[in-house]
Structures are given as C-alpha cells and as structure tokens.
Amino acid sequence: MISIRQRKGVKTTEVPEDYAAQEANVKLENKLPSGCTTRRLWKLLSLTVGGTVALCIGLLTSVYLATLHENDLWFSNIKEVEREISFRTECGLYYSYYKQMLQAPTLMQGFHGLIYDNKTESMRTINLLQRMNIYQEVFLSILYRVLPIQKYLEPVYFYIYTLFGLQAIYVTALYITSWLLSGTWLSGLLAAFWYVTNRIDTTRVEFTIPLRENWALPFFAIQIAAITYFLRPNLQPLSERLTLLAIFVSTFLFSLTWQFNQFMMLMQALVLFTLDSLDMLPAAKKNLKTGNFLNRLGKLLLHLFAVLCLTLFLNNIIKKILNLKSDEHIFKFLKAKFGFGATRDFDANLYLCEEAFGLLPFNTFGRLSDTLLFYAYVFVLSVTVMAALAVAFHNLSDSANQQSMGQVGKCTTILKPQTAYNLIHTILFGFLALSTMRMKYLWTSHMCVFASFGLCSPEIWELLLKSIHLYNPKRMCVMRYSVPVLILLYLSYKFWPGMMDELSELREFYDPDTVELMNWINSNTPRKAVFAGSMQLLAGVKLCTGRTLTNHPHYEDNGLRERTKAVYQIYAKRAPEDVHALLRSFGADYVILEDSICYERRHQRGCRLRDLLDIANGHMMDGPGENDPDLKLAGHPRFCEEIKRNRPPYTAYFTRVFQNKTFHVYKLSRHK
C-alpha cells in the first residue's frame, strides 16, 4: 500500500457608568499624545501594519504547507497516476469529478455526466450534484477552462494551489477574529504562530487536500469573524449590513462545501440560543425575558425543553414524510458511542472502530502544551468562564441594586457580547473534539484564537492586576504586550529549527503495487467494466481508470451503505455462490481483494473488518477471545482466504486475472 520513503455581549444598561472611561484608559493607543488627528493616524497605521502582517502570515502559511506537500511526495516529479493515487480514499473520489469535468468535450456534456451519472454506482443513475458536495470541483473545472492558464499550469496544480490558497484565507480569518476580540493585531500574530506550530493538531490539508473540511473551514472561520464583528455595539448601519452580507455569503459557501455542515449550524444555533437565554446579546440584536431569578430560570428551562422536543419532532416527521434515511447511521453511531446500548449494526460499528471517530487521545494535550497553547487556553478559559457565570447569574436575577451592579462590573468589562459568543463556541467545540477526534480541527484552531485573545486582552489583565492590588494602566499595557511577545520569541526559538528541518527533508511517493494495479486495469479491462472491492480502493480505481464502481466512500446514503455491506461479504465467511450472486446483482465484472483487509492486524479483535462482518452475520469471530453466546460457527471458510487456493467450487465462479504482493483481482463468471 502507500508508503513514504527517503528520496533518492452584555446589556449596556448593566455596565457601570465609568466603564467607557476605564476602557479608554487601558488602551495603549490613548497613551499617545492627545488629539483626534494623532489618534486617527495611529489607528490608520495600526490597521495598515496589522493588515499587512495578516496577509503575509496567511500567504507564508500557505507556502509552508504547499512546500511540505511537495517535499513529502516529490509531487512535481512523480507520474500522473502516482499523483492521483496520492489522493487517498474519498479524496480521490472528489478529485475524479474535477478530472471528469475537464475531460468532457463541452461544459454541457460535463454537467450532463454529473447529473445523470451511472459510473459511480453500477446499475444506478444518480445526480452527483444532489448527492455529494462537489460544487467546488465543478466551479474550479469551469474556471480552469475559462482562464488562459492551461499552457502554464497543470490541472492538478490549479486544484491543489486553490486549496492551499484557502489555507491562507483560513489563517487570515483566525488572525482577524483574535484581533477583533483583543483590539490588537499582536494577538492575531500569536494565533497564527500557534496554528502553524501545532500543525499536526490544527490541520491535515497537506496529506488530505481534496477533503471537504479543507474547503469548508476557511469559510466557517470567515463566518465566525463576521459574527464577532457584528456583535460589537454601536455599529454604523452600513457596516452592519455589510457584515450581515459577509455572514450570509460565508455561511452559504460553508454549507455548500461540506456534508456535515448541518451539525456545525446546529452548534451555531445553540451558541446564539444560549447567548439570548442568558441576555448576553446587545439589546439591539436580541433580548429575552423579565422577572426574578427563579422565574426566569424556570422559563429558560421550559423554553429549552420545548425547543429540543420540537426539533426532534419535526426532524422525525420530515424524515418519515420524505422517507429520508441518509443520516440513520450517524444516530446509530452516537447511540452506541455514548453507551445507550450495544449494537451489532455494521455501519455503526464501522465508525466506532475507526480511530478518527473515537475519543480525543490524551497525547494531544501534551503536544498542545509543548507550545504553551494549552496552558494559555486553560488560563483564559477559566477567567472568562467565571466572568460568564457571574454575568449570567446577574442577568437572570434581573438585579437593579447598585451594590450588585458594582460587584458584577468587573466581569462585564471582560464579557463583551463577542467574547461571550466565542467563549460558548470554544466550549461546544471542545466537547465535540473530546468526543470525536476527527472534529478536533474545529477546536484546536479556535483554541489558538481564544488563547491569544485572552493574553492580549486589556480587560483580563486589568481584572487580574486589580484582584492582587497591582493595577495601573502602564503595568496593564506592559503585561498585555510583553507576555505575547515573550511567547512569540519562545515559539520562534524552540520550533524554528524543527520547521527548517521539515522543509529540508526530502521524500518521495512510493506505492508500486497500487500503481501496477491501476496500470493493469487501464490496459487489460474494458472501459465499461464494473469493479467491486473496498470503498477506499475503488475511489482510486475511478480516478485513475474511469471504470464503473459498485460502491464508494461517500457513505451518506442508505442504499449505498446496504450495497457496501453486501460487497464486503468477500471478507466474510460466505459460500462462493452466495458472494458471486451478490456481486453480480450489482453488475460486477471484477472483484479486487486486498491482503491488508483479509489479514488485517491494524485493529484489535472485534474491530477488524472481518470481525464486524462476522458479528453482523451472526458468526463467531476468528482467533482467541470471547464471543457472544448467541453467535454460531459459520458453515463456510472465509471467502478472501479460501478463494486463493484455487479450488472448486471457487474456480467455477471466479478466475484470477491479476496478482501482486498486495492485490488479487478475480473475474466473475457470467453464468447464474
């Protein structure tokens, strides 16, 4: 298989009257000589320098990631088939549609091929634009055909450079969000540094380029930055309208590019609902209820219960009316993951046994601590959570006495609406990442923003210095700027040599067995031949050869999941005639068996693919260990092992036509 080798918001009526003056006193800009003109010049200079740094750091990050990708694979030197194989699993499937659009004689024929596709799933005609999130591939293919760049830039480079360019936008959006929260671009610079030095835990774009999240997360970051700006009080009408437009466009593009967008939108709704419920939004944006503390708390809980019940009710009703089953496997997975009963469902167990869908590994926190990110994040999170609890209690109690307002005043200076929004966001992201490792990239990138904001926040340093009776404006300014500068110097000293070593380490792509398989398919099988096999491999077969598939890794369709389970019986204990009948029912002409699956050792017993199939079929698992008492011995040996012995009745149904160290290809007989 593939390997790498050395190359050859709070209500304004609840804020103390002297808050505006206090805020003005703690800003470094106001320490300059007084005068409106001087302040404007300083502000303009700060915006210019900060904006320039944002663009530069975004571009440098993009170039850095692109260079790592080139150095890791020697992408510019390997053959086209090797480049395509490097787009592993579902990445290859998505890229194949970009390639398909470019190979179409005309754009209209290309669109017709996507809308009436009969090669992605054999014996089926599906609308790929409706089924999958591939609008970005369509848009890029149109752009490549229209722009006069064909002579200078290969299609694959246009594609990957676009993705790396989006990373520049992503980092810039994180930078701006931190800047908006803290009031200084220094926090944006620190956020970008943390993003890069924690690259292993903040992005995986350099080795999974076409993955949907790499398209979507930059737009999600823009949306968060726009909402952060929108929640600022006293925005000008034009600024507010433009910000709302930015929110709408970024949300639309995010939803268009990722199949899991609905879960992120649900989190956004929960964030805004929580802010509204606790009266942490500006009155001009939203407001809630009145009454004493117990009365308002009771109404809040009732409101929350009603919203959840109504959401679940409408979800079930709509799915039953429209007969939608695309997300059934996710709910089964969540039910089993959180201990609401064991399951033998094949789809749910397939997710449960994948490391990406498991709990966040503990060593993640060790890596984040090495860059001081986790320590800074916990510090800022602790301060803001305590402030949020104080403000929430104050808002819900609807207290009007001056003593109470004075006590909560320090907290309200910290917990501005935009801060509260990002606080709840990072908490929800944290729970999501802790429960599902694949979602950690949402949390860790926002962690960089939130931690850097806190270290550069004048309000947080003011509160801490006042709590130990050491506050004065100059000391606050020193802490606000010296701490992030020291961390930046530490990161540069500790990680710069390692980054230079990474950039100088040269490797190359090496997967001769898969290259041999793809070349054989191209040379020895008909163009209309149908191939069966594992989801991950078949995505590469479609990209490299254009052959028709029985199944593929875009798993968000109930019919496809049932089809995949049927095809995977090639790794179960089934009779050859049963396997042949199943494969022929999907029109398969060839089946590819992989030793890495048949003799899998990557997972422990009970999580190997063959074990999941045995359990789903009611058969006992192989090897030493316990089995559920109701599981029975299978009546047939394992198909993928027995077929290699070339004994009857296997030879009556399957003929081996290709073999190497990794793959075995069999042609199916036509007789019933």
Side-chain angles (χ1 to χ4, degrees):
M1 297 301 289
I2 295 177
S3 63
I4 300 296
R5 67 179 182 182
Q6 290 298 324
R7 190 177 302 177
K8 309 174 197 174
V10 185
K11 289 183 179 179
T12 56
T13 57
E14 296 175 347
V15 178
E17 294 179 358
D18 62 344
Y19 167 65
Q22 291 175 358
E23 185 180 44
N25 286 336
V26 298
K27 289 187 177 292
L28 179 64
E29 293 80 357
N30 293 351
K31 299 301 170 186
L32 295 173
S34 60
C36 184
T37 303
T38 305
R39 289 188 189 134
R40 285 179 180 176
L41 288 174
W42 173 255
K43 185 177 181 180
L44 180 61
L45 178 63
S46 178
L47 286 172
T48 303
V49 173
T52 303
V53 172
L55 293 175
C56 290
I57 201 72
L59 289 172
L60 286 173
T61 303
S62 175
V63 172
Y64 170 64
L65 293 172
T67 305
L68 289 178
H69 174 259
E70 166 64 25
N71 290 356
D72 202 41
L73 300 175
W74 203 4
F75 200 75
S76 59
N77 190 66
I78 57 179
K79 299 175 183 178
E80 187 66 21
V81 65
E82 293 176 311
R83 291 176 178 177
E84 292 177 346
I85 292 171
S86 72
F87 296 138
R88 290 169 284 184
T89 65
E90 60 188 289
C91 298
L93 183 68
Y94 298 133
Y95 182 79
S96 73
Y97 300 121
Y98 170 74
K99 179 181 176 181
Q100 180 179 323
M101 281 291 292
L102 291 178
Q103 291 178 340
T106 65
L107 281 176
M108 291 306 298
Q109 287 178 285
F111 273 111
H112 186 273
L114 295 180
I115 296 172
Y116 302 98
D117 178 89
N118 55 12
K119 296 181 73 67
T120 302
E121 295 176 18
S122 58
M123 303 183 72
R124 268 184 175 181
T125 299
I126 61 175
N127 185 341
L128 291 170
L129 295 178
Q130 185 180 39
R131 174 79 74 81
M132 302 184 190
N133 298 73
I134 58 168
Y135 290 100
Q136 50 268 50
E137 277 75 22
V138 173
F139 175 74
L140 273 193
S141 64
I142 295 173
L143 209 58
Y144 185 80
R145 296 176 75 132
V146 171
L147 296 175
I149 58 174
Q150 290 88 345
K151 293 181 180 179
Y152 315 104
L153 194 64
E154 297 176 63
V156 66
Y157 276 105
F158 182 66
Y159 186 92
I160 66 173
Y161 285 165
T162 299
L163 267 299
F164 288 126
L166 280 176
Q167 282 296 301
I169 296 175
Y170 189 24
V171 173
T172 302
L174 298 176
Y175 178 108
I176 292 173
T177 304
S178 186
W179 185 0
L180 289 171
L181 288 169
S182 67
T184 173
W185 56 263
L186 183 62
S187 68
L189 181 62
L190 180 57
F193 261 67
W194 264 330
Y195 179 86
V196 173
T197 53
N198 291 282
R199 174 179 55 84
I200 294 175
D201 296 300
T202 55
T203 183
R204 50 178 174 167
V205 65
E206 73 268 24
F207 58 89
T208 57
I209 295 176
L211 209 60
R212 302 299 84 179
E213 69 188 45
N214 296 327
W215 286 96
L217 292 185
F219 300 118
F220 194 52
I222 293 173
Q223 185 218 52
I224 292 174
I227 294 175
T228 299
Y229 183 74
F230 177 76
L231 291 176
R232 284 186 161 191
N234 305 321
L235 282 183
Q236 295 296 323
L238 178 60
S239 297
E240 194 168 86
R241 285 195 292 270
L242 290 175
T243 307
L244 282 172
L245 178 63
I247 293 171
F248 170 77
V249 172
S250 57
T251 303
F252 174 73
L253 292 174
F254 169 70
S255 301
L256 208 63
T257 52
W258 199 15
Q259 70 268 32
F260 296 135
N261 67 82
Q262 64 270 26
F263 300 105
M264 299 304 105
M265 293 297 101
L266 175 61
M267 292 185 66
Q268 292 277 35
L270 288 173
V271 171
L272 295 174
F273 175 77
T274 304
L275 290 175
D276 181 47
S277 300
L278 300 177
D279 279 3
M280 291 182 179
L281 290 177
K285 320 289 182 182
K286 273 180 177 259
N287 56 45
L288 192 64
K289 310 148 237 329
T290 58
N292 59 40
F293 176 74
L294 292 177
N295 189 17
R296 298 188 69 184
L297 184 61
K299 289 181 180 179
L300 173 60
L301 294 175
L302 182 62
H303 188 189
L304 178 62
F305 179 75
V307 168
L308 290 176
C309 289
L310 185 61
T311 301
L312 293 173
F313 174 75
L314 290 176
N315 179 60
N316 287 324
I317 289 296
I318 292 172
K319 287 200 295 187
K320 286 183 179 180
I321 292 176
L322 300 179
N323 195 28
L324 299 176
K325 297 181 179 179
S326 58
D327 57 358
E328 266 189 352
H329 62 303
I330 295 178
F331 289 104
K332 290 178 181 177
F333 159 70
L334 292 175
K335 182 180 177 181
K337 183 179 180 67
F338 294 111
F340 296 105
T343 180
R344 289 184 178 175
D345 182 79
F346 175 75
D347 301 319
N349 284 327
L350 201 60
Y351 280 99
L352 285 170
C353 287
E354 281 300 320
E355 184 183 7
F357 293 93
L359 299 177
L360 186 67
F362 190 74
N363 60 9
T364 305
F365 301 105
R367 292 192 298 269
L368 296 175
S369 299
D370 287 342
T371 63
L372 305 182
L373 172 58
F374 187 65
Y375 299 131
Y377 177 76
V378 170
F379 162 70
V380 176
L381 186 66
S382 301
V383 175
T384 49
V385 164
M386 288 189 291
L389 292 174
V391 172
F393 179 80
H394 177 265
N395 289 348
L396 288 175
S397 63
D398 200 27
S399 175
N401 66 76
Q402 292 300 317
Q403 183 180 0
S404 174
M405 291 184 66
Q407 291 173 346
V408 83
K410 294 180 181 179
C411 296
T412 57
T413 62
I414 295 178
L415 206 71
K416 300 173 184 177
Q418 59 267 34
T419 305
Y421 167 76
N422 280 274
L423 170 63
I424 300 174
H425 234 304
T426 197
I427 291 173
L428 292 180
F429 282 162
F431 282 123
L432 186 63
L434 291 171
S435 64
T436 307
M437 190 190 76
R438 184 175 178 178
M439 296 298 177
K440 73 175 180 178
Y441 302 102
L442 288 163
W443 185 40
T444 49
S445 58
H446 195 263
M447 185 188 291
C448 299
V449 171
F450 201 74
S452 60
F453 136 71
L455 294 184
C456 296
S457 169
E459 295 85 6
I460 286 182
W461 285 116
E462 178 183 349
L463 177 63
L464 290 174
L465 290 172
K466 283 185 176 180
S467 66
I468 57 176
H469 308 290
L470 291 176
Y471 172 77
N472 66 53
K474 290 184 179 179
R475 188 173 287 127
M476 182 275 299
C477 286
V478 169
M479 296 299 295
R480 180 190 181 193
Y481 291 104
S482 62
V483 171
V485 167
L486 289 173
I487 292 177
L488 286 170
L489 291 174
Y490 167 79
L491 294 176
S492 301
Y493 172 77
K494 183 172 182 179
F495 293 98
W496 182 261
M499 292 172 67
M500 292 301 101
D501 289 342
E502 273 188 316
L503 292 174
S504 62
E505 187 176 1
L506 303 177
R507 302 179 181 181
E508 75 175 308
F509 175 89
Y510 186 72
D511 189 5
D513 290 347
T514 307
V515 171
E516 184 185 13
L517 172 66
M518 299 304 172
N519 288 335
W520 181 86
I521 293 174
N522 273 319
S523 304
N524 296 278
T525 63
R527 291 286 301 173
K528 294 185 178 181
V530 179
F531 278 80
S534 70
M535 297 183 289
Q536 295 82 355
L537 179 63
L538 289 186
V541 170
K542 185 180 189 310
L543 171 57
C544 298
T545 71
R547 301 305 190 262
T548 304
L549 314 179
T550 56
N551 53 304
H552 55 82
H554 194 273
Y555 215 51
E556 279 67 49
D557 178 76
N558 186 58
L560 175 67
R561 292 194 294 272
E562 292 177 353
R563 177 183 282 227
T564 298
K565 181 182 176 182
V567 170
Y568 276 11
Q569 298 303 311
I570 58 178
Y571 297 108
K573 298 170 182 176
R574 297 291 296 270
E577 57 270 23
D578 293 341
V579 174
H580 181 270
L582 283 171
L583 296 179
R584 286 301 300 158
S585 69
F586 304 125
D589 300 308
Y590 298 87
V591 58
I592 307 174
L593 296 173
E594 301 170 63
D595 286 346
S596 59
I597 298 178
C598 190
Y599 306 108
E600 180 187 358
R601 292 184 178 89
R602 184 168 68 95
H603 292 103
Q604 62 183 2
R605 185 177 185 269
C607 268
R608 300 169 297 189
L609 179 62
R610 61 180 186 265
D611 296 335
L612 303 184
L613 291 164
D614 289 343
I615 293 171
N617 293 340
H619 298 154
M620 297 175 66
M621 295 180 287
D622 293 337
E626 296 182 357
N627 289 283
D628 289 342
D630 59 329
L631 295 178
K632 301 177 181 178
L633 285 170
H636 301 277
R638 193 167 303 281
F639 177 84
C640 64
E641 296 176 356
E642 196 67 19
I643 191 176
K644 295 169 187 174
R645 305 181 190 275
N646 286 325
R647 296 174 180 173
Y650 292 87
T651 53
Y653 296 97
F654 302 92
T655 304
R656 184 161 56 199
V657 291
F658 174 83
Q659 177 184 4
N660 64 21
K661 291 184 294 183
T662 305
F663 305 105
H664 304 261
V665 182
Y666 293 86
K667 186 175 182 180
L668 278 71
S669 63
R670 290 282 182 171
H671 66 78
K672 295 183 179 179

